[in-house]
Amino acid sequence: MKSADHINIDGFKHVSYRITALSEEEAVTKSESYFNKLNERRSVRDYSDKWIPKKIIDNLIKSASTAPSGAHKQPWTFCAISNQELKSKIRKAAEIEEKKSYQSRMSERWKKDLKPLGTDMNKPFLEIAPWLIVVFKKPYDFDKDGNKINNYYVNESVGIACGMMISAIQNAGLVTLTHTPSPMNFLSKILNRPSNERAFLLLPVGYPKFPTYVPDIKRKALKKVSAYYT
Ligand code: IYR
């Protein structure tokens, strides 16, 4: 039977949607190879300065921006920075906050938990990685008269978009790190962002320096992270 290419629901157009179905066998193979790809991902702190063309960054941002969001408000802005002067400003400001965090804001327990990861207050990657992507969340937007209109599930929506960005980065053979200097409001100032944007996450994007070493840590097994009710 031929079906309509669109219908009307409550006066709003809904278009016919199809995905290419896979055979069960193909789905098993594809889900496994996607897992293997993502399982190669590691947070990398040591970057090469090798250039990455803007076209790739465009594609990463477009991938992240396909994320679902509350009422389809897409409450995010991705700022991509390759300007050396701005990267240096960001590094300097981040290290000021990180110094305070490591020296007094973080608990002893927290610092002990971070010891195996080898992090510290120095953030050279902020200057060395060819691109920094700063993700801003928008708790509200402005209507055409300048009134505030709230967005919905903003943290969930932006968190999902960041996850999709991280897998797109991995898929492009690049590396990143979820950097969350705290507080992050210096980013709004340096990047001159509008008042309705709050920095959410900073992702350096690049190639790893050679050689690069990452902590010898393991992921929890499926059994430990799941509960099936069949
Ligand atoms: N933001 C600091 C501290 C830090 C916190 C956690 I939780 C980490 O998993 C890693 C680092 C920093 O970037 O060093």
Side-chain angles (χ1 to χ4, degrees):
M1 191 189 89
K2 205 178 167 308
S3 56
D5 69 348
H6 69 274
I7 58 170
N8 236 302
I9 300 179
D10 277 348
F12 290 91
K13 186 178 175 187
H14 289 240
V15 294
S16 160
Y17 173 70
R18 296 225 175 120
I19 58 165
T20 315
L22 302 176
S23 69
E24 196 176 301
E25 201 181 323
E26 272 179 303
V28 170
T29 310
K30 279 207 155 190
S31 59
E32 194 175 323
S33 61
Y34 191 65
F35 159 64
N36 287 332
K37 182 95 210 149
L38 289 188
N39 200 29
E40 284 174 6
R41 187 199 60 77
R42 294 301 309 262
S43 290
V44 168
R45 294 185 164 76
D46 299 315
Y47 288 78
S48 142
D49 62 3
K50 185 175 149 66
W51 178 244
I52 294 170
K54 179 179 171 291
K55 180 75 209 152
I56 297 175
I57 303 298
D58 291 347
N59 289 333
L60 299 176
I61 295 174
K62 287 196 284 181
S63 299
S65 202
T66 66
S69 60
H72 191 51
K73 296 291 182 182
Q74 304 168 86
W76 45 64
T77 304
F78 300 93
C79 292
I81 303 123
S82 66
N83 179 287
Q84 199 57 46
E85 207 177 306
L86 282 176
K87 288 196 297 176
S88 299
K89 270 193 188 171
I90 291 173
R91 174 183 180 181
K92 204 171 272 174
E95 285 180 340
I96 289 172
E97 292 302 348
E98 293 290 63
K99 188 170 182 188
K100 286 186 209 154
S101 295
Y102 278 87
Q103 288 185 344
S104 57
R105 292 197 279 237
M106 287 154 68
S107 67
E108 289 309 312
R109 174 74 216 206
W110 189 350
K111 282 187 275 189
K112 187 163 165 272
D113 280 340
L114 286 180
K115 263 272 183 291
L117 306 181
T119 68
D120 62 31
M121 62 176 108
N122 299 308
K123 307 296 172 194
F125 56 82
L126 294 174
E127 268 180 314
I128 298 169
W131 289 93
L132 304 179
I133 298 181
V134 183
V135 185
F136 286 87
K137 67 175 181 183
K138 300 208 271 179
Y140 56 92
D141 268 298
F142 296 107
D143 68 13
K144 57 178 178 355
D145 301 318
N147 303 308
K148 282 184 188 179
I149 33 171
N150 279 335
N151 289 324
Y152 312 97
Y153 297 101
V154 171
N155 288 323
E156 292 83 347
S157 304
V158 181
I160 294 166
C162 289
M164 293 176 71
M165 163 78 76
I166 292 164
S167 39
I169 291 170
Q170 177 71 10
N171 183 56
L174 302 167
V175 295
T176 186
L177 169 70
T178 50
H179 181 43
T180 51
S182 175
M184 281 202 276
N185 40 13
F186 66 87
L187 291 164
S188 307
K189 285 187 205 131
I190 293 174
L191 300 173
N192 199 19
R193 300 312 304 166
S195 60
N196 65 329
E197 292 188 2
R198 309 267 176 278
F200 185 82
L201 188 64
L202 194 165
L203 297 163
V205 184
Y207 293 96
K209 184 183 90 181
F210 183 80
T212 285
Y213 297 93
V214 293
D216 186 18
I217 50 177
K218 303 278 174 277
R219 296 195 162 99
K220 289 180 183 173
L222 174 63
K223 263 198 167 149
K224 283 254 167 80
V225 298
S226 60
Y228 286 79
Y229 303 80
T230 57

